[in-house]
Amino acid sequence: MTSLQTWPLSLLLVIAVHCSNSLEDNKIPSLCTGSPGIPGSPGLHGSPGQPGRDGRDGRDAQPGEKGERGDGGEPGHPGVRGITGDRGDPGEKGERGSPGECAVAPKSAFSAKLSESRTSPLAVGDAVSFDKIILNEQGDYNPETGRFTCRVPGVYYFAVHATVYRSSLQFDLIKNGHTVASYFQIFGNWSKPASLSGGTLVHLIPGDQVWVQLALGEYTGFYSSSKTDSTFTGFLVYSDWKNSAVFA
């Protein structure tokens, strides 16, 4: 090759060396720029950074206006019953009440005797009329008929005391036509009167009747005078009334 043939090539080499000295690293002069390369693959995610510092506290705002009252909620379910508490202290004594009504016990009692005009004659089978009243506050005994009529139900005691004179005496205590008890005293023509007494308990209901009745025609020796008497007595022992304050 001749010197004329190598000159252009030498000139290009000098220009390339000059250009390479004036370029920064990794930069290609515009005269040597090629086509853009293909984009690279995405890089890996970096490590998490350090937490940032807390910001400053904000300033207090002015209180807002009070809102409207909300609707009441539905009642809740009843709770479990609690444990019984301790007994409280006794209260103060109350004022004294007004006096109440007194309880009144049922009453029934009587006593009567024969007057002198009734001692004879006395008929068998009839009630002996003890016509002279000693006590009959409730009016349960009728001196005209000689019969006691029950008004208060309960147990009664009846007693008969007879002065026996001029004749022997036998009489019965009758309840509603039936004999409850019988009594007898003989008289032996003595100069002085004898006596005969008897009594018994009887249970009665309202309307029942009790009386004394001669038993035999020849034994009618009831006697009464200013010195001696024949009496018929009865009284309530206790009542059957359940609503009675005394006898309930």
Side-chain angles (χ1 to χ4, degrees), residues 114 118-129 169-172 211-222:
L114 283 174
R118 292 292 185 98
T119 57
S120 61
L122 296 174
V124 177
D126 292 337
V128 178
S129 297
L169 175 63
Q170 184 173 352
F171 65 85
D172 299 330
W211 64 90
V212 177
Q213 180 175 297
L214 291 177
L216 296 175
E218 62 270 28
Y219 300 144
T220 60
F222 267 115

Short mmCIF file of all heavy atoms in Angstrom, two decimals, residues 114 118-129 169-172 211-222:
data_model
loop_
_atom_site.label_atom_id
_atom_site.label_comp_id
_atom_site.label_asym_id
_atom_site.label_seq_id
_atom_site.Cartn_x
_atom_site.Cartn_y
_atom_site.Cartn_z
N LEU A 114 -142.45 -20.64 140.24
CA LEU A 114 -143.90 -20.81 140.29
C LEU A 114 -144.50 -19.84 141.31
O LEU A 114 -143.97 -19.68 142.41
CB LEU A 114 -144.27 -22.23 140.71
CG LEU A 114 -144.14 -23.34 139.66
CD1 LEU A 114 -144.41 -24.69 140.32
CD2 LEU A 114 -145.08 -23.10 138.50
N ARG A 118 -150.13 -21.07 140.94
CA ARG A 118 -149.88 -22.06 139.87
C ARG A 118 -149.49 -23.42 140.43
O ARG A 118 -149.19 -24.33 139.65
CB ARG A 118 -148.76 -21.55 138.94
CG ARG A 118 -149.14 -20.33 138.10
CD ARG A 118 -150.20 -20.69 137.07
NE ARG A 118 -150.47 -19.55 136.19
CZ ARG A 118 -149.94 -19.40 134.98
NH1 ARG A 118 -149.10 -20.31 134.53
NH2 ARG A 118 -150.25 -18.35 134.25
N THR A 119 -149.46 -23.60 141.68
CA THR A 119 -148.99 -24.87 142.23
C THR A 119 -149.99 -26.00 142.03
O THR A 119 -149.60 -27.16 141.98
CB THR A 119 -148.70 -24.72 143.73
OG1 THR A 119 -149.88 -24.26 144.40
CG2 THR A 119 -147.55 -23.75 143.95
N SER A 120 -151.26 -25.67 141.88
CA SER A 120 -152.26 -26.72 141.65
C SER A 120 -153.49 -26.10 140.99
O SER A 120 -153.82 -24.93 141.24
CB SER A 120 -152.66 -27.37 142.98
OG SER A 120 -153.25 -26.40 143.86
N PRO A 121 -154.18 -26.86 140.14
CA PRO A 121 -153.74 -28.19 139.68
C PRO A 121 -152.77 -28.06 138.51
O PRO A 121 -152.80 -27.06 137.80
CB PRO A 121 -155.05 -28.84 139.27
CG PRO A 121 -155.87 -27.72 138.75
CD PRO A 121 -155.49 -26.51 139.59
N LEU A 122 -151.90 -29.06 138.28
CA LEU A 122 -150.97 -29.10 137.16
C LEU A 122 -151.31 -30.31 136.30
O LEU A 122 -151.45 -31.43 136.83
CB LEU A 122 -149.53 -29.18 137.66
CG LEU A 122 -149.03 -27.97 138.47
CD1 LEU A 122 -147.64 -28.24 139.02
CD2 LEU A 122 -149.02 -26.71 137.62
N ALA A 123 -151.45 -30.11 135.00
CA ALA A 123 -151.86 -31.19 134.11
C ALA A 123 -150.65 -31.96 133.60
O ALA A 123 -149.61 -31.38 133.27
CB ALA A 123 -152.64 -30.61 132.94
N VAL A 124 -150.79 -33.28 133.54
CA VAL A 124 -149.73 -34.14 133.00
C VAL A 124 -149.64 -33.93 131.49
O VAL A 124 -150.65 -33.86 130.78
CB VAL A 124 -150.02 -35.61 133.33
CG1 VAL A 124 -148.96 -36.52 132.69
CG2 VAL A 124 -150.06 -35.81 134.83
N GLY A 125 -148.43 -33.87 130.99
CA GLY A 125 -148.22 -33.71 129.54
C GLY A 125 -148.11 -32.27 129.11
O GLY A 125 -147.75 -32.00 127.96
N ASP A 126 -148.42 -31.33 129.98
CA ASP A 126 -148.29 -29.91 129.64
C ASP A 126 -147.02 -29.34 130.27
O ASP A 126 -146.51 -29.84 131.27
CB ASP A 126 -149.50 -29.12 130.15
CG ASP A 126 -150.78 -29.48 129.43
OD1 ASP A 126 -150.67 -29.99 128.28
OD2 ASP A 126 -151.86 -29.29 130.00
N ALA A 127 -146.54 -28.27 129.66
CA ALA A 127 -145.37 -27.58 130.22
C ALA A 127 -145.77 -26.89 131.51
O ALA A 127 -146.85 -26.29 131.61
CB ALA A 127 -144.82 -26.58 129.22
N VAL A 128 -144.90 -26.98 132.50
CA VAL A 128 -145.14 -26.30 133.77
C VAL A 128 -144.77 -24.84 133.56
O VAL A 128 -143.64 -24.51 133.17
CB VAL A 128 -144.30 -26.92 134.90
CG1 VAL A 128 -144.53 -26.16 136.19
CG2 VAL A 128 -144.62 -28.40 135.04
N SER A 129 -145.72 -23.95 133.81
CA SER A 129 -145.48 -22.52 133.59
C SER A 129 -144.91 -21.88 134.85
O SER A 129 -145.66 -21.59 135.79
CB SER A 129 -146.80 -21.82 133.18
OG SER A 129 -147.28 -22.33 131.95
N LEU A 169 -143.41 -36.34 143.50
CA LEU A 169 -143.22 -35.55 142.27
C LEU A 169 -142.30 -36.28 141.30
O LEU A 169 -141.25 -36.79 141.68
CB LEU A 169 -142.62 -34.17 142.62
CG LEU A 169 -142.26 -33.28 141.44
CD1 LEU A 169 -143.52 -32.92 140.64
CD2 LEU A 169 -141.55 -32.02 141.92
N GLN A 170 -142.72 -36.29 140.06
CA GLN A 170 -141.87 -36.77 138.96
C GLN A 170 -142.07 -35.84 137.76
O GLN A 170 -143.19 -35.62 137.30
CB GLN A 170 -142.21 -38.21 138.55
CG GLN A 170 -141.27 -38.73 137.47
CD GLN A 170 -141.47 -40.20 137.16
OE1 GLN A 170 -142.23 -40.89 137.88
NE2 GLN A 170 -140.80 -40.70 136.15
N PHE A 171 -140.97 -35.32 137.27
CA PHE A 171 -141.05 -34.43 136.10
C PHE A 171 -139.89 -34.72 135.15
O PHE A 171 -138.87 -35.31 135.53
CB PHE A 171 -141.04 -32.94 136.52
CG PHE A 171 -139.77 -32.49 137.17
CD1 PHE A 171 -138.67 -32.06 136.43
CD2 PHE A 171 -139.66 -32.48 138.56
CE1 PHE A 171 -137.52 -31.63 137.04
CE2 PHE A 171 -138.50 -32.04 139.17
CZ PHE A 171 -137.42 -31.62 138.42
N ASP A 172 -140.08 -34.31 133.90
CA ASP A 172 -139.08 -34.50 132.85
C ASP A 172 -138.63 -33.14 132.31
O ASP A 172 -139.42 -32.19 132.25
CB ASP A 172 -139.64 -35.32 131.69
CG ASP A 172 -140.07 -36.71 132.12
OD1 ASP A 172 -139.45 -37.24 133.06
OD2 ASP A 172 -141.02 -37.25 131.51
N TRP A 211 -138.55 -27.23 127.99
CA TRP A 211 -139.51 -26.94 129.05
C TRP A 211 -139.54 -28.09 130.07
O TRP A 211 -138.92 -29.15 129.84
CB TRP A 211 -140.90 -26.69 128.49
CG TRP A 211 -141.54 -27.87 127.79
CD1 TRP A 211 -142.33 -28.82 128.37
CD2 TRP A 211 -141.47 -28.21 126.41
NE1 TRP A 211 -142.75 -29.74 127.45
CE2 TRP A 211 -142.24 -29.38 126.22
CE3 TRP A 211 -140.82 -27.65 125.30
CZ2 TRP A 211 -142.38 -30.00 124.99
CZ3 TRP A 211 -140.98 -28.27 124.08
CH2 TRP A 211 -141.74 -29.42 123.92
N VAL A 212 -140.25 -27.87 131.17
CA VAL A 212 -140.42 -28.86 132.22
C VAL A 212 -141.85 -29.41 132.10
O VAL A 212 -142.80 -28.65 131.94
CB VAL A 212 -140.21 -28.25 133.62
CG1 VAL A 212 -140.46 -29.30 134.71
CG2 VAL A 212 -138.79 -27.70 133.74
N GLN A 213 -141.94 -30.73 132.23
CA GLN A 213 -143.25 -31.39 132.03
C GLN A 213 -143.48 -32.46 133.08
O GLN A 213 -142.56 -33.24 133.38
CB GLN A 213 -143.29 -31.98 130.61
CG GLN A 213 -144.57 -32.68 130.24
CD GLN A 213 -144.55 -33.11 128.78
OE1 GLN A 213 -144.47 -32.28 127.88
NE2 GLN A 213 -144.59 -34.41 128.57
N LEU A 214 -144.69 -32.52 133.65
CA LEU A 214 -145.04 -33.57 134.61
C LEU A 214 -145.11 -34.91 133.88
O LEU A 214 -145.64 -35.01 132.77
CB LEU A 214 -146.37 -33.27 135.28
CG LEU A 214 -146.36 -32.07 136.24
CD1 LEU A 214 -147.77 -31.82 136.78
CD2 LEU A 214 -145.38 -32.29 137.37
N ALA A 215 -144.61 -35.97 134.57
CA ALA A 215 -144.52 -37.28 133.93
C ALA A 215 -145.72 -38.17 134.25
O ALA A 215 -146.21 -38.89 133.38
CB ALA A 215 -143.23 -37.96 134.35
N LEU A 216 -146.20 -38.16 135.49
CA LEU A 216 -147.31 -39.03 135.89
C LEU A 216 -148.37 -38.22 136.63
O LEU A 216 -148.05 -37.29 137.38
CB LEU A 216 -146.79 -40.16 136.79
CG LEU A 216 -145.81 -41.14 136.12
CD1 LEU A 216 -145.29 -42.13 137.16
CD2 LEU A 216 -146.47 -41.89 134.98
N GLY A 217 -149.61 -38.62 136.44
CA GLY A 217 -150.73 -37.88 137.04
C GLY A 217 -150.74 -37.89 138.54
O GLY A 217 -151.19 -36.93 139.18
N GLU A 218 -150.25 -38.96 139.18
CA GLU A 218 -150.29 -39.04 140.63
C GLU A 218 -149.09 -38.39 141.30
O GLU A 218 -149.02 -38.28 142.53
CB GLU A 218 -150.40 -40.49 141.10
CG GLU A 218 -149.24 -41.39 140.71
CD GLU A 218 -149.43 -42.08 139.37
OE1 GLU A 218 -150.15 -41.52 138.50
OE2 GLU A 218 -148.86 -43.17 139.17
N TYR A 219 -148.08 -38.00 140.48
CA TYR A 219 -146.88 -37.36 141.05
C TYR A 219 -146.81 -35.92 140.56
O TYR A 219 -146.10 -35.58 139.62
CB TYR A 219 -145.62 -38.12 140.63
CG TYR A 219 -145.61 -39.57 141.09
CD1 TYR A 219 -145.05 -40.58 140.29
CD2 TYR A 219 -146.13 -39.92 142.33
CE1 TYR A 219 -145.01 -41.90 140.73
CE2 TYR A 219 -146.11 -41.25 142.77
CZ TYR A 219 -145.56 -42.22 141.96
OH TYR A 219 -145.55 -43.52 142.40
N THR A 220 -147.55 -35.06 141.23
CA THR A 220 -147.64 -33.65 140.81
C THR A 220 -147.33 -32.70 141.96
O THR A 220 -147.93 -31.64 142.08
CB THR A 220 -149.06 -33.36 140.28
OG1 THR A 220 -150.01 -33.62 141.32
CG2 THR A 220 -149.37 -34.20 139.05
N GLY A 221 -146.41 -33.10 142.82
CA GLY A 221 -146.19 -32.36 144.07
C GLY A 221 -145.37 -31.10 143.97
O GLY A 221 -144.62 -30.77 144.92
N PHE A 222 -145.42 -30.32 142.88
CA PHE A 222 -144.76 -29.00 142.84
C PHE A 222 -145.44 -28.10 143.87
O PHE A 222 -146.67 -28.06 143.98
CB PHE A 222 -144.91 -28.37 141.46
CG PHE A 222 -143.75 -28.65 140.53
CD1 PHE A 222 -143.94 -29.41 139.39
CD2 PHE A 222 -142.48 -28.15 140.79
CE1 PHE A 222 -142.89 -29.67 138.53
CE2 PHE A 222 -141.43 -28.41 139.93
CZ PHE A 222 -141.61 -29.18 138.80
#
